[in-house]
Amino acid sequence: MPLFKRRNIAPYAALFSVLCAIAVTKPSHAQDAGLHNSTKVFSAPADLTWKHWDDPDELERTWKAAIVRVPAGPGRSTRATTEDLERQTAATGQKLPTVIYLHGCSGIWSGTHQRIRFLAENGFLVIAPASLARDVYPRSCNVETREGGLFRGTVVLRKNDAGYAIEKARQLSSVDADNIVLMGFSEGALTTVLFEPQNERQFVRARVAEGWTCHAGWLEYKGVRAREGEPVLTLVGENDPWYQDQWTKGDCTPFLDPENGSRSIVYRDEKLKHRHGLLDVEPVREDVLGFLKEHVDF
């Protein structure tokens, strides 16, 4: 069930019914093939040339392969695709607050689906661009050994994918262009806080980053790049096993502006402080939804 309720969901009913009717025919997770470390054939870093970084065809692949979840009423949602969304018209006149969700370094996994379902069941249209859908994409991590940063340029690719997804989403009749949130997990969280809009079509209302500290040995990986006045929520376990060296330990507090509503939550209780993935736990979900309720117009 949703952790907060909107006063009146009736205006969304028509849009829900249209989107759900086309989405229900999609197979469960067949769309995910090749979008995880275990199934992706990675490129050698040397195969990535200047033309691949923001190649329109590569960007479009990440959009077409995106995982989409559509609200279907309180506590309910259904699976869709970006093609489904693009076929919609403005006939219903209803627009939804939208989350552009950035997956972690290993790609689309069960946790990705859990998180976007949670957001959709609380009223957000969620679009998760799939960066591993790029034809030329070097491997960036090994989850089994907790090795990250295997390709330093990955975050540039991820930021390009995020910007493209925000622009494409803004063109959809079902998206409330004034209420787009950028959110990510792990490497997606890193990308979320570092994302810099390249034009006004890439602006977002707020950001949420799960599982990142804003500290890194590489200067371009450090800090927060949100616009002035744009609230950012960051979440991290105090003893997150991915971030225990001298370069990455800490949290995002030094880089956030509390005056605009930004905050860093460091979970220190035994249940959460050793976790990398936090949004599986209800108190963390309550923190996220509280932040979104405060900064997003429903």
Side-chain angles (χ1 to χ4, degrees):
M1 291 297 292
L3 297 176
F4 68 81
K5 297 180 180 179
R6 295 173 301 285
R7 292 181 180 178
N8 181 14
I9 65 167
Y12 294 100
L15 180 60
F16 289 154
S17 61
V18 172
L19 291 178
C20 293
I22 59 171
V24 72
T25 60
K26 298 296 177 183
S28 178
H29 296 301
Q31 185 184 357
D32 301 356
L35 302 181
H36 185 266
N37 275 3
S38 61
T39 55
K40 174 69 175 177
V41 177
F42 290 101
S43 310
D47 293 338
L48 191 73
T49 67
W50 63 268
K51 70 177 182 179
H52 294 116
W53 296 93
D54 57 357
D55 180 270
D57 291 336
E58 290 281 61
L59 294 169
E60 184 67 6
R61 289 184 184 98
T62 70
W63 173 255
K64 291 297 185 186
I67 310 302
V68 177
R69 202 85 194 177
V70 181
R76 297 172 53 235
S77 67
T78 190
R79 181 82 175 263
T81 69
T82 51
E83 291 182 351
D84 294 332
L85 299 179
E86 289 168 339
R87 285 197 294 268
Q88 299 312 299
T89 68
T92 64
Q94 306 301 329
K95 294 181 180 292
L96 297 171
T98 299
V99 173
I100 302 300
Y101 182 85
L102 307 181
H103 60 70
C105 66
S106 64
I108 305 296
W109 63 299
S110 60
T112 308
H113 290 281
Q114 292 168 6
R115 284 157 176 76
I116 67 173
R117 185 180 297 110
F118 148 69
L119 291 165
E121 289 176 355
N122 281 278
F124 288 90
L125 171 62
V126 189
I127 304 171
S131 289
L132 269 66
R134 283 172 169 262
D135 278 351
V136 181
Y137 193 82
R139 187 184 184 106
S140 65
C141 74
N142 185 325
V143 175
E144 288 73 24
T145 59
R146 291 184 182 143
E147 293 176 275
L150 300 183
F151 179 62
R152 187 168 180 172
T154 295
V155 173
V156 177
L157 296 173
R158 300 296 310 274
K159 289 194 291 185
N160 289 343
D161 297 344
Y164 186 77
I166 295 166
E167 286 199 47
K168 293 283 284 188
R170 185 164 264 111
Q171 299 171 23
L172 299 173
S173 64
S174 53
V175 169
D176 181 349
D178 294 326
N179 285 284
I180 298 177
V181 175
L182 185 62
M183 180 172 177
F185 168 62
S186 195
E187 183 182 273
L190 163 63
T191 307
T192 293
V193 299
L194 294 180
F195 175 74
E196 297 173 278
Q198 299 303 300
N199 56 62
E200 63 182 12
R201 297 183 302 278
Q202 296 184 2
F203 288 172
V204 296
R205 182 74 174 258
R207 309 186 192 198
V208 179
E210 174 198 3
W212 177 235
T213 66
C214 297
H215 293 272
W218 293 331
L219 183 61
E220 71 270 25
Y221 277 43
K222 186 176 181 178
V224 174
R225 308 283 193 271
R227 294 178 300 130
E228 184 178 356
E230 184 182 309
V232 179
L233 174 67
T234 63
L235 315 166
V236 71
E238 182 180 38
N239 294 332
D240 186 320
W242 279 81
Y243 309 129
Q244 291 304 303
D245 60 44
Q246 62 176 320
W247 309 110
T248 58
K249 193 172 179 62
D251 74 281
C252 297
T253 299
F255 309 103
L256 297 176
D257 179 8
E259 295 298 318
N260 68 16
S262 295
R263 61 185 300 221
S264 168
I265 302 179
V266 181
Y267 296 96
R268 295 185 168 89
D269 62 276
E270 284 299 322
K271 185 177 181 180
L272 293 171
K273 71 179 183 180
H274 299 290
R275 295 178 66 99
H276 185 51
L278 296 162
L279 269 167
D280 305 310
V281 182
E282 186 162 314
V284 181
R285 293 186 171 195
E286 292 174 347
D287 288 335
V288 169
L289 288 177
F291 174 82
L292 293 174
K293 185 178 182 181
E294 181 179 357
H295 296 290
V296 174
D297 183 6
F298 277 85

